[in-house]
Amino acid sequence: MPLKTEVYNKAHNINEYTLSNSTGGLVVRIIDYGATITHLFVKDKNGQPRDVVLGWDDLDGYLGNKGRNPYFGAAIGRCGNRITNGKFELNGQTYQLALNNGPNALHGGVKGFDKRKWTLIGSTDDSITLELISEDGDEGYPGRLRVALTYTVTDDNELRLEYTARLTDNQSVETVVNLTNHSYFNLNGCTRGEELDVLNHTVRMTATNYLDINENFQPTGKILSTKTDTPVMDFATGDGQPRHTIGERIAQVLPNGYDHCYVIDTDDKTYNIAGNEEIREAVVEVSSPLTGVRLTFSTTEPGFQFYTGNNVGSGQTTKTSQSSPALELRKNSGFCLESQRFPNAINEGKWRPQVLLSPNATYSQTTAYKFGLI
């Protein structure tokens, strides 16, 4: 269906773009503040549309004026996830970033890409492309960076995200890039109390490894097996085997529930800034027994952060597209599948090529969220 464009907030000059496929089975709304996915409608087992992402009803929420905004739906950069002690070295120079997550730099800093206005540079009936220029020194990162992000909906009920990033002309420095999207999904739809958390969602992954972390969520450099090292992290069940729910073992997961980078690719030889050419299915299925909605997640990235909304709540509410009057969200009200390079990769020699962008090189990534019914 044709792209729909509306003014989302006149005072801040923010626009909203609505993408929908020909069947009406997938409708996605995106604003150019933070390149943020604000709504994502899919049809449940009864044919009723459900908005399955967390967010806010207006720009004030995304600006943080209604309480803490935990990156609902936003594009994340220049470097997603955590950099230990907010510090890294390039070409003999040490760079110190803001520490906005305990002893870590998180999700691009105090004013990352999620808090910036992006520019529409292209569109079709089923896609939009947004661009952001990140100046040299932005949040402490070196180099002037141009980022493009294309959102596309397909008739297979798939939302596809395609990222590219390059240093602008005449740049002689290197920089760090690790982009992702921070949508929180709740396939229950958040229409009433029993649907306000995702603990009943069943999960089946292909990934059987994850990155070990310490109590400060800092990677130790070790890749652990979900099969032999930590079975409570294992969602890689075979066909016909019982599947685990998110809530089944979450109390046993340290430090505070699922907030870990699962590893798709363990081969160091494939780690490079250009990323993999092949998009691979990383999560076969997350599904809600209440609505029958199923999500499949695929990416070209070597890993993804599986986060179960452990810090959601405290003033955050459902949108009117989900319930009216609004209901208070709570811990585990959503889950994230954040496709990405490994956290703190710039400080781990073998992982460093994943995130190190040189002049004339191109960072690229493709991620897809596909929806259906169980």
Side-chain angles (χ1 to χ4, degrees):
M1 297 178 67
L3 170 70
K4 182 180 179 183
T5 304
E6 295 182 314
V7 175
Y8 185 76
N9 184 287
K10 186 175 181 180
H12 291 271
N13 191 29
I14 302 300
N15 300 301
E16 180 182 67
Y17 309 96
T18 301
L19 298 170
S20 54
N21 60 12
S22 63
T23 66
L26 176 62
V27 179
V28 183
R29 296 179 189 167
I30 300 153
I31 58 174
D32 48 22
Y33 179 79
T36 299
I37 298 170
T38 60
H39 300 76
L40 196 156
F41 295 92
V42 296
K43 292 183 179 179
D44 66 14
K45 61 186 178 182
N46 297 315
Q48 297 301 308
R50 296 270 188 156
D51 186 357
V52 296
V53 293
L54 305 185
W56 303 93
D57 275 327
D58 52 42
L59 186 63
D60 274 353
Y62 295 104
L63 293 175
N65 297 335
K66 292 186 173 181
R68 184 179 58 85
N69 174 31
Y71 305 98
F72 283 151
I76 302 297
R78 180 175 306 193
C79 189
N81 216 309
R82 297 168 175 90
I83 294 179
T84 298
N85 301 322
K87 187 180 294 186
F88 62 89
E89 185 176 301
L90 283 180
N91 301 316
Q93 182 174 344
T94 299
Y95 293 88
Q96 179 63 60
L97 311 175
L99 301 182
N100 60 335
N101 178 248
N104 307 300
L106 177 69
H107 291 336
V110 177
K111 190 178 181 181
F113 291 1
D114 60 297
K115 299 177 180 68
R116 303 278 297 281
K117 186 179 187 298
W118 293 56
T119 301
L120 181 71
I121 61 168
S123 65
T124 68
D125 283 353
D126 58 10
S127 73
I128 61 167
T129 300
L130 300 170
E131 181 184 72
L132 180 67
I133 303 296
S134 177
E135 298 293 345
D136 182 24
D138 183 11
E139 283 293 327
Y141 290 93
R144 188 173 188 266
L145 188 72
R146 176 180 285 112
V147 179
L149 170 54
T150 299
Y151 291 99
T152 304
V153 297
T154 74
D155 283 345
D156 291 331
N157 290 338
E158 181 178 85
L159 173 63
R160 200 172 183 91
L161 287 68
E162 297 169 283
Y163 306 76
T164 60
R166 285 180 62 89
L167 289 159
T168 58
D169 294 342
N170 302 318
Q171 295 284 294
S172 59
V173 299
E174 294 179 311
T175 193
V176 181
V177 179
N178 185 11
L179 307 177
T180 190
N181 175 270
H182 214 297
S183 288
Y184 291 71
F185 296 97
N186 183 320
L187 305 182
N188 291 332
C190 294
T191 61
R192 55 185 183 270
E194 66 182 295
E195 300 175 345
L196 283 178
D197 64 52
V198 296
L199 299 178
N200 68 339
H201 287 31
T202 58
V203 180
R204 183 180 168 206
M205 296 181 182
T206 59
T208 58
N209 296 284
Y210 71 101
L211 298 187
D212 183 39
I213 56 175
N214 63 23
E215 66 277 6
N216 292 316
F217 299 91
Q218 298 169 337
T220 66
K222 297 178 182 178
I223 296 178
L224 300 181
S225 167
T226 64
K227 297 293 186 183
T228 59
D229 293 313
T230 323
V232 297
M233 301 291 291
D234 184 24
F235 289 96
T237 53
D239 291 334
Q241 292 181 309
R243 298 179 188 176
H244 298 292
T245 66
I246 290 176
E248 183 179 337
R249 301 162 298 170
I250 195 170
Q252 303 171 50
V253 180
L254 301 175
N256 185 32
Y258 298 100
D259 191 2
H260 298 75
C261 183
Y262 279 76
V263 176
I264 303 168
D265 193 345
T266 59
D267 186 355
D268 292 2
K269 295 179 182 178
T270 65
Y271 296 166
N272 63 85
I273 194 65
N276 291 295
E277 294 182 2
E278 179 187 2
I279 187 167
R280 296 162 296 178
E281 198 171 75
V283 177
V284 179
E285 180 180 309
V286 184
S287 59
S288 162
L290 296 179
T291 62
V293 175
R294 181 187 74 239
L295 167 62
T296 300
F297 168 73
S298 303
T299 185
T300 56
E301 295 296 88
F304 63 94
Q305 192 82 0
F306 179 49
Y307 175 53
T308 50
N310 307 318
N311 298 309
V312 171
S314 184
Q316 295 147 0
T317 63
T318 56
K319 296 171 289 183
T320 53
S321 57
Q322 295 170 321
S323 60
S324 184
L327 301 173
E328 195 86 10
L329 296 178
R330 58 196 184 211
K331 183 177 181 179
N332 309 129
S333 278
F335 69 91
C336 303
L337 297 171
E338 306 163 54
S339 53
Q340 60 188 251
R341 314 292 161 95
F342 295 170
N344 197 42
I346 193 60
N347 291 314
E348 288 287 344
K350 60 192 174 187
W351 301 342
R352 193 175 171 92
Q354 294 181 5
V355 298
L356 186 59
L357 180 65
S358 302
N360 302 316
T362 300
Y363 165 98
S364 61
Q365 182 207 142
T366 300
T367 291
Y369 301 97
K370 187 174 182 178
F371 297 88
L373 296 173
I374 56 178

